[in-house]
Amino acid sequence: MAERRQLVAGNWKMNGMRADGLALARGVAARASRPHRCDLLVCPPATLIAAVGEALAGSPVALGGQDCHEAASGAFTGDISAEMLRDAGCTHVILGHSERRHGRGESDADVHAKVIAAWRAGLIAIVCVGETRAEREAGRAVAVVTGQIAGSVPAGADAAKLVIAYEPVWAIGTGLTPTTLDIIEIHAAIRAHIPGGTRILYGGSVNPRNAAEILALPEVDGGLIGGASLKADDFWAIAAAAQ
Ligand code: 13P
């Protein structure tokens, strides 16, 4: 684990007008000017990517998108390509978030195509996987998550361009988290299916109170943070808990 530097990433989702987003980005950048032990990333909504990028300039905080289209350009109203994210200053893109898999009907094949697009554009793909409550209760969590990895991660993956985020659907935005043993079990199962050195983040109701315990678990290489990433103090408290 020592060779995998932890990554603490904020997924702002569909939150933030220009003023709030800039204040948040400046708050994170100011705190990150002090020495820190992990890599840091924020993924604002598309409308704020360019402005947040300017606010983060000179800081160690990286910039990411929350989704991309598989094509580089074309007649796809409302979509954004990986190349556009890269052009706007992004180095990362979140793909296959449960709010897209379950909310927008994205399949493993869709995510697979988007990961190829991200790599084509030179972006690091953060591929999200996670079981629903019903799948966990049916004892299928490991099978679901490893199946999503098999279907979503293209051949040719390596640790320099891939990050996995384990986000149980039922833990997102609910205040619920798996037991530490359950997180360890799933991360170990994922580890067996991805290239050596690839970071595996945990996401789902991470907050300043539970971050230290979760981030200290074996095979947990950081966190993907939703609600708590919208307050600079909370996001920084989680980053400070990184190993
Ligand atoms: P919460 O931290 O709000 O539960 O969201 C997690 C998440 O979906 C990050 O991508």
Side-chain angles (χ1 to χ4, degrees):
M1 171 157 169
E3 79 279 11
R4 297 192 303 271
R5 187 172 155 87
Q6 290 203 323
L7 169 64
V8 174
N11 175 8
W12 294 5
K13 308 191 180 183
M14 196 175 74
N15 292 293
M17 297 299 168
R18 195 178 158 82
D20 322 319
L22 286 179
L24 176 56
R26 290 190 187 112
V28 171
R31 287 162 180 78
S33 66
R34 298 195 291 270
H36 56 283
R37 288 176 289 186
C38 63
D39 291 338
L40 296 163
L41 168 69
V42 295
C43 301
T47 48
L48 296 183
I49 285 173
V52 166
E54 284 173 25
L56 296 176
S59 86
V61 185
L63 186 65
Q66 299 177 10
D67 182 38
C68 72
H69 193 277
E70 67 193 70
S73 63
F76 303 105
T77 302
D79 280 314
I80 297 174
S81 72
E83 282 78 0
M84 289 169 172
L85 292 175
R86 177 81 189 201
D87 186 51
C90 292
T91 50
H92 295 65
V93 60
I94 297 169
L95 295 172
H97 193 281
S98 79
E99 287 149 17
R100 301 210 62 87
R101 288 181 185 270
H102 295 278
R104 289 284 178 268
E106 284 189 11
S107 65
D108 286 338
D110 294 328
V111 179
H112 186 278
K114 291 179 178 201
V115 176
I116 289 173
W119 292 347
R120 181 187 65 221
L123 298 177
I124 297 167
I126 302 176
V127 175
C128 302
V129 295
E131 81 287 356
T132 63
R133 164 68 70 193
E135 288 164 342
R136 173 157 288 276
E137 286 174 354
R140 296 183 50 235
V142 167
V144 167
V145 166
T146 55
Q148 288 173 330
I149 297 276
S152 307
V153 176
D158 67 55
K161 59 188 183 185
L162 178 68
V163 175
I164 302 294
Y166 169 53
E167 300 204 307
V169 178
W170 53 272
I172 295 175
T174 58
L176 303 172
T177 52
T179 66
T180 52
L181 285 178
D182 286 339
I183 295 175
I184 291 168
E185 180 193 28
I186 298 280
H187 279 233
I190 293 171
R191 174 71 57 209
H193 289 81
I194 56 175
T198 302
R199 291 187 282 192
I200 308 172
L201 314 184
Y202 170 78
S205 296
V206 178
N207 61 46
R209 291 165 300 288
N210 62 20
E213 182 179 31
I214 292 171
L215 293 176
L217 297 175
E219 304 294 352
V220 173
D221 304 314
L224 183 54
I225 319 301
S229 74
L230 298 175
K231 288 191 182 142
D233 281 338
D234 287 356
F235 186 64
W236 191 253
I238 294 167
Q243 301 298 298

